[in-house]
Amino acid sequence: MSDTTTTSPSTAEIMDAMAAIGTAYFHDFAAVVTRHGLTSVQAKTLSLLRRPLPMRGLADRLVCDASNVTGIVDRLESRGLVRREADPTDRRIKNVVATEEGHATIRRIRAEMHTTRAALDGLSTEERAALFGLLARLRPAMENPQI
């Protein structure tokens, strides 16, 4: 019988762990955004707006049709959380920009995600740095798959 602590986990085992963590994160996120009167998609949109993004870019990142993004942005805009601006290089393109209230809202949501924060707080400084480094390496390939 081999010692499982020295064997490398399979890709399937890693994928299962990622799925479990992703699901738990999503449940924590969804519970908090509901208390803020937002849907998960609306809050996800706010979280993507660290910088202005064109409507088409939002649709790609949200994996939905551009017509759906119009409704999402309309609702966020009516609450003062985002605004539309003409792109400075191509005025035909409308960028979506988070307002200061939009940025503050997503900061409050993240601060209230107690389950996720408690799990991360249980890691040492070195473990946090290692996790962040690994996620940073995975992120480009996960966000921009080469199909």
Side-chain angles (χ1 to χ4, degrees), residues 38 41-55 58 62 69-85 94-106:
L38 296 169
V41 174
Q42 289 169 342
K44 173 68 173 170
T45 301
L46 279 179
S47 74
L48 292 171
L49 293 174
R50 290 191 175 104
R51 60 178 175 78
L53 286 174
M55 298 283 281
L58 271 176
L62 294 170
V69 172
T70 300
I72 295 165
V73 171
D74 285 348
R75 287 183 287 285
L76 291 171
E77 193 171 38
S78 72
R79 291 188 54 182
L81 301 175
V82 303
R83 67 180 176 275
R84 291 176 174 94
E85 294 180 351
K94 292 293 183 195
N95 286 327
V96 182
V97 180
T99 63
E100 184 49 47
E101 182 56 30
H103 288 299
T105 298
I106 202 65

Side-chain angles (χ1 to χ4, degrees), residues 5-147:
T5 60
T6 59
T7 61
S8 178
S10 70
T11 299
E13 290 171 318
I14 293 170
M15 291 171 75
D16 285 347
M18 288 174 60
I21 289 168
T23 299
Y25 177 90
F26 178 76
H27 285 296
D28 195 18
F29 184 76
V32 173
V33 302
T34 299
R35 293 194 303 263
H36 286 267
L38 296 169
T39 66
S40 294
V41 174
Q42 289 169 342
K44 173 68 173 170
T45 301
L46 279 179
S47 74
L48 292 171
L49 293 174
R50 290 191 175 104
R51 60 178 175 78
L53 286 174
M55 298 283 281
R56 174 82 253 158
L58 271 176
D60 291 344
R61 285 172 178 79
L62 294 170
V63 192
C64 69
D65 191 77
S67 62
N68 292 339
V69 172
T70 300
I72 295 165
V73 171
D74 285 348
R75 287 183 287 285
L76 291 171
E77 193 171 38
S78 72
R79 291 188 54 182
L81 301 175
V82 303
R83 67 180 176 275
R84 291 176 174 94
E85 294 180 351
D87 187 276
T89 61
D90 186 343
R91 299 197 56 79
R92 295 170 297 178
I93 298 172
K94 292 293 183 195
N95 286 327
V96 182
V97 180
T99 63
E100 184 49 47
E101 182 56 30
H103 288 299
T105 298
I106 202 65
R107 283 192 302 270
R108 284 192 299 273
I109 288 167
R110 288 185 178 127
E112 294 172 27
M113 292 178 65
H114 300 299
T115 301
T116 301
R117 294 180 73 78
L120 292 171
D121 288 347
L123 299 176
S124 70
T125 302
E126 295 79 18
E127 289 169 330
R128 290 170 69 91
L131 176 60
F132 185 79
L134 291 170
L135 293 172
R137 282 184 54 201
L138 290 174
R139 190 174 186 171
M142 298 290 291
E143 288 182 341
N144 303 302
Q146 304 298 318
I147 301 173

